[in-house]
Amino acid sequence: MPDKINEIIEELALANRILAHEGVLDAFGHVSVRHPADPSRYLLSRSRSPLLIEPDDILEYTLDSEPVQPPKAHLYAERVIHGCIYQARHDVIAVCHHHAPAVMPFAIAGKPIVPVFHLGAAMGEDAPFWDQHDEFGDTNLLVVKQEEGHSLARALGRHSAVMMNRHGATVVGGSLKELVSRSIFMCQNAEYQLRALALGAPQPLYRGEVRLAGALSLMSNVVTRTWEYWSMRLEAAGAMPPRRSSAKAARRPVPKPSRVTPRERRKGRRR
Amino acid sequence: MPDKINEIIEELALANRILAHEGVLDAFGHVSVRHPADPSRYLLSRSRSPLLIEPDDILEYTLDSEPVQPPKAHLYAERVIHGCIYQARHDVIAVCHHHAPAVMPFAIAGKPIVPVFHLGAAMGEDAPFWDQHDEFGDTNLLVVKQEEGHSLARALGRHSAVMMNRHGATVVGGSLKELVSRSIFMCQNAEYQLRALALGAPQPLYRGEVRLAGALSLMSNVVTRTWEYWSMRLEAAGAMPPRRSSAKAARRPVPKPSRVTPRERRKGRRR
Amino acid sequence: MPDKINEIIEELALANRILAHEGVLDAFGHVSVRHPADPSRYLLSRSRSPLLIEPDDILEYTLDSEPVQPPKAHLYAERVIHGCIYQARHDVIAVCHHHAPAVMPFAIAGKPIVPVFHLGAAMGEDAPFWDQHDEFGDTNLLVVKQEEGHSLARALGRHSAVMMNRHGATVVGGSLKELVSRSIFMCQNAEYQLRALALGAPQPLYRGEVRLAGALSLMSNVVTRTWEYWSMRLEAAGAMPPRRSSAKAARRPVPKPSRVTPRERRKGRRR
Amino acid sequence: MPDKINEIIEELALANRILAHEGVLDAFGHVSVRHPADPSRYLLSRSRSPLLIEPDDILEYTLDSEPVQPPKAHLYAERVIHGCIYQARHDVIAVCHHHAPAVMPFAIAGKPIVPVFHLGAAMGEDAPFWDQHDEFGDTNLLVVKQEEGHSLARALGRHSAVMMNRHGATVVGGSLKELVSRSIFMCQNAEYQLRALALGAPQPLYRGEVRLAGALSLMSNVVTRTWEYWSMRLEAAGAMPPRRSSAKAARRPVPKPSRVTPRERRKGRRR
């Protein structure tokens, strides 16, 4: 199991940096993953900009968002977002909160993002809105109290993402890689939807298309290709995270050219 | 002939990376070229993001989009796009399928791209639309079945490009370099057309201008200049493809300063 | 004190470069800081583009914007902006004048920027407009006369920023780091506000939210995170300023991982 | 004089690369300068993308746009733009023809760019439009015949720039550095004007402001600052041109920190 934990911690650092490098995160925003051995814990960095996060920055939290070890560094103010969603959604393995420039116009105007191209279907049919002011009145808009986190989790419901008025968005995934793809594709979708408006009312995907295309970003073909691409872009920018200092035997999650397994070959894959 | 094949394979890897670096392709999209010795075959990479493609990734396919050698890696799901177009259009030597951000607003809104500046004429007078839903109902929007590929090729007809609703575009060329120029110029055209809308209805080229300016991107003057420019930009980014491992004698298609041939000098070129 | 001065001079060079690298400043614009030991003086570079400023370029000025030492280089034409604001606002410790692309559409259209997301609240509830033509008629739009500087300072009043018609904006801060954050967040806010317009009238923050969220960029948590992020981006671009040549013992203001102080730990910080 | 010629040739290569790096030129566009010793000649590169131009690429032309030496390489098709303008305008020392993305929406919509911020005044009060179709009917839109060049020069008249419908723009200057500044500032102006439209009708500069601010980009203060900035950005990108191979003694036009001359000091400069 230590190997598995080292691996997931290194993957989480890599996911943070990929999402920063692809324009979803900037100085702010954070990504967590549920603990692979203990579903009542989650892993999240100390307070640091995502592009800079190293495996050694990753800390372990209870689902009440209390650090398991006494903290030696500042923690993210908004970590209850993660804990409250993990409590409410047992299927959720990874959470990303962000203020991506692509979603901000929608978060500000209070207008829904809808899937307008096949990869955009990763977000599902729609993402509900949550306005912190409705329930909590004037705040600094940070989600820092347990009751604020629970309220956000209720608004998320069974969806894959929730929009936060005048603030940003929170996205969830059944795995860290699904979360990364969904976050990036949803931003691309928002960008295209906004620009298409200049040409007239954009035509969203048919409901059946959303259902079918929503699974695209989970195809091994696609995951392999995107993860290699985003990793290599990060590497070309000289921004790959270092190894975990305590991880001598751990394997770095470096993407490898995907090879067809014998089982896949027997199935006569056409894709 | 082996030299010629090595050369075209290295040029195809370079074309993939140029189109990725110039913003036509991203994690997705693919470029193929008809086999130089056998018009019933085409060359296309294994499933990989275009910016990363190496000559050794290039595989040979029949026009039914079956790999000639048993595959050792994942293949592109949508390779029927290439095979079906090569079947339908004997004049087509190269095909590019992409989801460039510049064309997505048009693919989403279902509004036509029209040539609005001289280089944009490379796309021809217009590009028809193909909506997969019309004939096939709810799908994940990928073009993976032979009948989907044939339907797309019919929609393309004699045009140089076809728009795919809620998905992207497919562009064809009489040579790999023509394809690269046409794809890039069509994206620039779409970008300018969209931005011009804020100033009022854009005024497209006159029909006669489209015909005359459409040949610009084939002028040796222009091809030499653009290919050198795009290659050098790729090289400056440290992203040139490696040589083909089996190609010792093959010449890399490195751009050279174009020199006037004696024949050209005799013709008293003015351009 | 010399150490303190060396430190603030190096921080000022760094602030110039961060603001240039983050897109607030370009060939033009300038940033000053009030002298840490003498509130009747301020520090500002000789005339140079902000991305290139070195500690040795920083000069000392009286509040009449006269250089304390005879100048050996060109000076900024518009330095009265700084002197006049320091005269009028004893609480102001740092001033930035810029023509950021994000604010220019508002400066041109004469339409107000309003806080539309939590970090945008750093600009305060609104920023008044100052039109140089109202009081001074036809000019080249540079603020170069004392009376022009005083007029601008009056328009600024108690606000955190003032918009300058057909020219740009001037932003003030209670510290250099507050100024840097406010300038960057106000530009992001302007960008999001403009893009949100395509979706309908953007909904600004509630007045109480502006008040509460306006303090966000002063939270030690936030300052530490942003300063490290912006510095590391600058460093990755190879654009960190050199040390001050006369400063052997001075410490470079390099960001360090923030550690929880014993006092903070006793307070049982939750953020 | 050879030193002077080497210097201007190296400056012309640098100007080409600066304009490419700042987004005015791309694979296309060209910049020329009148011969410093012989006003009936001009200097222009062989056909090559501006970012790649080296001093050794620069050729000498008569005002009929004939190369003085027999050409060993492809020449720009549109060089008559330069020759015809130098014939018509004795005050013009440098010419730039471009298709910058910033001006294309205006060239396509046929709507005028007007100065909307102080630096934009470098373009003058307005730039007339020239539609090649009006006089020449259907063409490929390239300006390649002497009569096309003369027609364009007539449309330019006494202005500083002329817009070319469905094609681009041509800008002139009283010096190479003035041309570079004017071209860059006019593009920024176009960008800001377009984006300001989303907020309502932009308010252009007053006529007197245009006259006064139009001289800004010629202030030694400004020229020194911008030329150093643009050069250093080019250098940081690793794209500075090489020396001229025949120029051993020639001085490279590297920007130096501007020093106040004794004469300037006596004048008690305030800017």
Side-chain angles (χ1 to χ4, degrees):
Chain A
M1 198 64 198
D3 265 20
K4 175 68 184 164
I5 295 195
N6 279 334
E7 195 180 312
I8 198 78
I9 283 176
E10 295 196 338
E11 193 173 86
L12 180 56
L14 182 59
N16 268 279
R17 291 180 178 228
I18 283 176
L19 286 168
H21 194 249
E22 299 298 326
V24 176
L25 306 171
D26 48 21
F28 302 97
H30 16 88
V31 188
S32 70
V33 68
R34 200 187 283 269
H35 195 290
D38 180 355
S40 70
R41 300 273 172 89
Y42 68 91
L43 303 167
L44 176 72
S45 170
R46 66 175 176 93
S47 174
R48 199 174 198 193
S49 289
L51 191 61
L52 308 172
I53 288 173
E54 308 182 3
D56 291 347
D57 294 322
I58 309 288
L59 306 175
E60 197 176 324
Y61 294 92
T62 65
L63 295 196
D64 288 332
S65 299
E66 291 296 337
V68 173
Q69 306 290 331
K72 295 178 191 155
H74 284 294
L75 306 181
Y76 288 127
E78 298 189 298
R79 60 193 187 277
V80 294
I81 293 175
H82 302 264
C84 292
I85 289 175
Y86 288 123
Q87 285 179 46
R89 287 276 298 271
H90 299 295
D91 60 316
V92 166
I93 299 301
V95 175
C96 172
H97 168 61
H98 68 79
H99 324 140
V103 307
M104 292 310 290
F106 295 88
I108 287 164
K111 294 290 164 62
I113 301 175
V114 293
V116 289
F117 83 123
H118 59 314
L119 295 165
M123 68 172 278
E125 221 171 290
D126 62 345
F129 271 87
W130 179 74
D131 190 330
Q132 190 160 345
H133 199 271
D134 289 346
E135 196 171 337
F136 302 96
D138 288 340
T139 64
N140 65 5
L141 284 158
L142 295 193
V143 181
V144 292
K145 295 181 185 162
Q146 293 290 342
E147 54 267 38
E148 290 166 341
H150 289 309
S151 172
L152 176 67
R154 278 192 302 273
L156 171 67
R158 305 308 301 167
H159 292 85
S160 295
V162 57
M163 298 292 294
M164 300 156 80
N165 293 79
R166 306 179 303 291
H167 183 161
T170 296
V171 185
V172 301
S175 73
L176 195 48
K177 286 185 175 172
E178 184 185 35
L179 176 77
V180 168
S181 296
R182 177 173 285 152
S183 301
I184 292 174
F185 296 151
M186 185 175 165
C187 284
Q188 290 181 342
N189 190 92
E191 195 71 53
Y192 301 159
Q193 183 181 344
L194 189 74
R195 298 182 69 226
L197 269 178
L199 295 165
Q203 171 190 18
L205 264 61
Y206 292 90
R207 183 173 286 213
E209 287 177 335
V210 174
R211 191 171 32 80
L212 292 165
L216 278 178
S217 52
L218 293 177
M219 282 169 55
S220 69
N221 202 356
V222 169
V223 171
T224 305
R225 204 186 322 172
T226 52
W227 202 255
E228 182 193 24
Y229 176 66
W230 294 325
S231 299
M232 289 304 170
R233 275 165 59 91
L234 191 65
E235 191 162 49
M240 286 293 278
R243 301 293 309 273
R244 194 184 185 192
S245 58
S246 64
K248 293 202 193 77
R251 284 163 308 151
R252 161 90 70 104
V254 166
K256 294 246 185 52
S258 70
R259 295 292 154 184
V260 177
T261 62
R263 185 168 163 275
E264 284 176 318
R265 197 174 294 130
R266 275 195 305 276
K267 283 174 60 185
R269 291 172 323 98
R270 292 202 51 103
R271 308 191 181 183
Chain B
M1 198 67 197
D3 263 22
K4 175 67 185 164
I5 295 196
N6 278 333
E7 194 179 314
I8 198 78
I9 283 176
E10 294 195 339
E11 193 174 84
L12 180 56
L14 182 58
N16 269 278
R17 290 180 178 227
I18 283 176
L19 285 168
H21 194 249
E22 298 299 326
V24 176
L25 306 171
D26 48 22
F28 301 98
H30 16 87
V31 188
S32 69
V33 67
R34 201 187 282 268
H35 194 291
D38 180 355
S40 70
R41 300 275 171 87
Y42 69 90
L43 303 167
L44 176 71
S45 170
R46 67 177 175 91
S47 175
R48 200 174 196 195
S49 290
L51 191 62
L52 309 173
I53 287 173
E54 307 181 5
D56 291 349
D57 294 323
I58 309 287
L59 306 175
E60 197 176 324
Y61 293 91
T62 66
L63 296 196
D64 287 333
S65 298
E66 290 297 337
V68 172
Q69 306 289 333
K72 295 178 191 157
H74 283 294
L75 307 181
Y76 288 127
E78 298 189 299
R79 60 193 186 276
V80 295
I81 293 176
H82 303 264
C84 292
I85 289 175
Y86 288 123
Q87 286 179 46
R89 289 275 299 270
H90 300 294
D91 60 316
V92 166
I93 300 301
V95 175
C96 172
H97 168 61
H98 68 78
H99 324 139
V103 307
M104 292 310 290
F106 295 88
I108 288 163
K111 293 291 164 62
I113 302 175
V114 293
V116 289
F117 83 124
H118 59 312
L119 295 165
M123 69 172 276
E125 220 171 288
D126 62 345
F129 271 88
W130 178 74
D131 190 330
Q132 189 160 347
H133 200 271
D134 289 346
E135 198 170 336
F136 302 97
D138 288 341
T139 64
N140 65 4
L141 285 158
L142 295 193
V143 181
V144 293
K145 295 182 185 162
Q146 293 289 344
E147 53 267 38
E148 291 166 342
H150 289 309
S151 172
L152 176 68
R154 278 193 302 273
L156 170 65
R158 305 306 301 167
H159 292 85
S160 294
V162 57
M163 298 292 294
M164 301 157 79
N165 293 80
R166 305 179 302 290
H167 183 161
T170 297
V171 185
V172 302
S175 73
L176 196 49
K177 286 184 175 171
E178 184 185 36
L179 176 78
V180 168
S181 297
R182 177 173 285 151
S183 301
I184 292 174
F185 296 152
M186 185 175 166
C187 284
Q188 290 180 344
N189 189 93
E191 195 71 51
Y192 301 160
Q193 182 180 344
L194 189 75
R195 299 182 68 225
L197 269 178
L199 295 164
Q203 172 190 17
L205 264 61
Y206 292 91
R207 184 174 285 212
E209 286 177 336
V210 174
R211 192 172 30 82
L212 292 165
L216 278 178
S217 53
L218 293 176
M219 283 168 54
S220 69
N221 202 357
V222 169
V223 171
T224 305
R225 203 186 323 171
T226 51
W227 202 255
E228 182 193 24
Y229 176 65
W230 293 324
S231 298
M232 290 304 171
R233 276 165 58 91
L234 191 65
E235 191 162 49
M240 285 293 278
R243 300 294 309 274
R244 194 183 186 194
S245 58
S246 64
K248 292 201 194 77
R251 284 162 310 152
R252 161 89 70 105
V254 165
K256 295 247 185 50
S258 70
R259 295 291 154 183
V260 177
T261 63
R263 185 167 164 276
E264 284 177 318
R265 199 174 294 129
R266 277 196 305 275
K267 282 174 62 185
R269 291 171 322 97
R270 292 202 51 105
R271 308 190 181 184
Chain C
M1 199 65 197
D3 265 22
K4 175 68 184 164
I5 295 194
N6 279 332
E7 195 179 314
I8 197 79
I9 283 176
E10 294 195 339
E11 193 173 86
L12 181 56
L14 182 59
N16 268 280
R17 291 180 179 227
I18 283 175
L19 285 169
H21 194 249
E22 298 299 326
V24 177
L25 305 171
D26 48 21
F28 301 98
H30 16 88
V31 188
S32 69
V33 67
R34 201 187 282 269
H35 194 291
D38 181 355
S40 71
R41 299 274 171 88
Y42 68 90
L43 302 167
L44 176 71
S45 171
R46 68 177 175 92
S47 174
R48 199 174 198 193
S49 289
L51 191 61
L52 309 173
I53 288 173
E54 308 181 4
D56 291 347
D57 294 322
I58 309 287
L59 306 175
E60 198 176 323
Y61 294 91
T62 66
L63 295 196
D64 288 331
S65 298
E66 291 297 338
V68 172
Q69 307 289 333
K72 295 180 191 155
H74 283 295
L75 306 181
Y76 288 127
E78 299 189 298
R79 59 193 188 277
V80 296
I81 293 175
H82 303 264
C84 293
I85 289 175
Y86 288 123
Q87 285 179 46
R89 288 277 299 270
H90 299 294
D91 59 317
V92 166
I93 300 300
V95 175
C96 172
H97 168 61
H98 68 77
H99 325 140
V103 308
M104 292 309 291
F106 295 88
I108 287 164
K111 295 289 165 63
I113 302 174
V114 293
V116 289
F117 83 123
H118 60 314
L119 295 165
M123 68 172 276
E125 221 171 288
D126 62 345
F129 271 87
W130 178 75
D131 190 328
Q132 190 160 343
H133 199 272
D134 289 346
E135 196 170 337
F136 301 98
D138 287 341
T139 64
N140 66 4
L141 284 159
L142 295 193
V143 181
V144 292
K145 295 181 185 163
Q146 293 290 343
E147 54 266 38
E148 291 166 341
H150 289 309
S151 172
L152 176 68
R154 278 193 302 273
L156 171 66
R158 306 308 301 167
H159 293 87
S160 295
V162 57
M163 297 293 293
M164 301 156 80
N165 292 80
R166 305 179 303 291
H167 182 161
T170 296
V171 185
V172 303
S175 73
L176 195 48
K177 286 184 175 172
E178 185 186 34
L179 176 78
V180 168
S181 297
R182 178 173 285 151
S183 301
I184 291 174
F185 295 152
M186 184 175 166
C187 284
Q188 289 181 343
N189 190 92
E191 195 71 52
Y192 301 158
Q193 183 181 342
L194 189 75
R195 298 182 69 225
L197 269 178
L199 295 164
Q203 172 190 18
L205 264 62
Y206 293 90
R207 185 174 285 213
E209 288 177 334
V210 175
R211 192 171 31 80
L212 292 165
L216 278 178
S217 52
L218 293 176
M219 283 169 54
S220 68
N221 202 356
V222 168
V223 171
T224 305
R225 204 188 320 174
T226 52
W227 202 256
E228 182 194 24
Y229 177 64
W230 293 324
S231 298
M232 289 304 171
R233 276 165 58 91
L234 191 65
E235 191 163 49
M240 285 293 277
R243 302 292 309 273
R244 194 183 186 194
S245 58
S246 63
K248 293 201 193 78
R251 285 162 309 152
R252 162 89 71 104
V254 165
K256 294 247 185 52
S258 70
R259 295 290 154 185
V260 176
T261 62
R263 185 169 163 274
E264 284 176 318
R265 199 174 293 130
R266 277 194 306 275
K267 284 173 61 185
R269 292 170 323 96
R270 292 202 51 104
R271 307 190 180 183
Chain D
M1 199 64 198
D3 264 22
K4 175 68 185 164
I5 295 194
N6 279 333
E7 195 179 314
I8 198 78
I9 282 176
E10 294 195 340
E11 193 173 87
L12 181 57
L14 183 59
N16 268 280
R17 289 179 179 228
I18 283 175
L19 285 169
H21 194 250
E22 297 299 326
V24 176
L25 306 171
D26 48 22
F28 301 98
H30 16 87
V31 188
S32 69
V33 68
R34 200 187 283 268
H35 194 290
D38 180 355
S40 69
R41 300 273 171 87
Y42 69 89
L43 303 167
L44 176 72
S45 170
R46 67 176 175 94
S47 174
R48 200 175 196 192
S49 289
L51 191 62
L52 309 173
I53 287 174
E54 308 182 4
D56 291 347
D57 294 322
I58 309 288
L59 305 175
E60 197 175 324
Y61 294 91
T62 66
L63 295 195
D64 287 332
S65 298
E66 291 296 335
V68 173
Q69 306 290 332
K72 295 179 191 155
H74 283 295
L75 307 181
Y76 288 126
E78 299 189 298
R79 59 192 186 278
V80 295
I81 293 176
H82 303 264
C84 292
I85 289 176
Y86 288 123
Q87 285 179 46
R89 288 278 298 270
H90 299 295
D91 60 316
V92 166
I93 300 301
V95 175
C96 172
H97 167 61
H98 68 77
H99 325 140
V103 308
M104 292 310 290
F106 295 88
I108 287 164
K111 293 291 164 61
I113 302 175
V114 293
V116 290
F117 83 123
H118 60 314
L119 295 166
M123 68 171 277
E125 221 171 286
D126 62 345
F129 270 88
W130 178 74
D131 190 328
Q132 189 161 344
H133 199 272
D134 289 346
E135 196 170 337
F136 302 97
D138 287 342
T139 65
N140 65 5
L141 285 158
L142 294 193
V143 182
V144 292
K145 296 180 186 163
Q146 292 290 343
E147 54 267 37
E148 290 166 342
H150 289 309
S151 172
L152 177 68
R154 279 193 302 273
L156 171 66
R158 306 306 303 167
H159 292 85
S160 294
V162 56
M163 298 293 293
M164 301 157 79
N165 293 79
R166 305 180 303 291
H167 183 161
T170 297
V171 185
V172 302
S175 73
L176 196 49
K177 286 184 175 170
E178 184 185 35
L179 177 78
V180 168
S181 297
R182 177 173 286 152
S183 302
I184 292 173
F185 296 151
M186 184 175 166
C187 285
Q188 290 180 342
N189 190 92
E191 195 71 52
Y192 300 159
Q193 182 181 342
L194 189 75
R195 298 181 69 226
L197 270 178
L199 295 164
Q203 172 190 18
L205 265 61
Y206 292 91
R207 184 173 284 213
E209 287 177 334
V210 175
R211 192 170 32 80
L212 292 165
L216 277 177
S217 53
L218 293 177
M219 284 170 54
S220 70
N221 202 356
V222 168
V223 172
T224 305
R225 203 186 323 171
T226 52
W227 202 254
E228 182 194 24
Y229 176 65
W230 293 325
S231 298
M232 289 305 171
R233 275 164 59 91
L234 191 65
E235 190 162 49
M240 284 294 277
R243 300 293 309 273
R244 194 182 186 194
S245 58
S246 64
K248 293 200 193 80
R251 283 163 309 151
R252 162 89 71 105
V254 166
K256 295 245 184 52
S258 70
R259 293 291 153 183
V260 177
T261 63
R263 184 167 164 277
E264 284 176 319
R265 199 173 294 130
R266 277 196 304 276
K267 282 174 62 186
R269 292 171 322 97
R270 293 203 51 105
R271 306 188 182 185

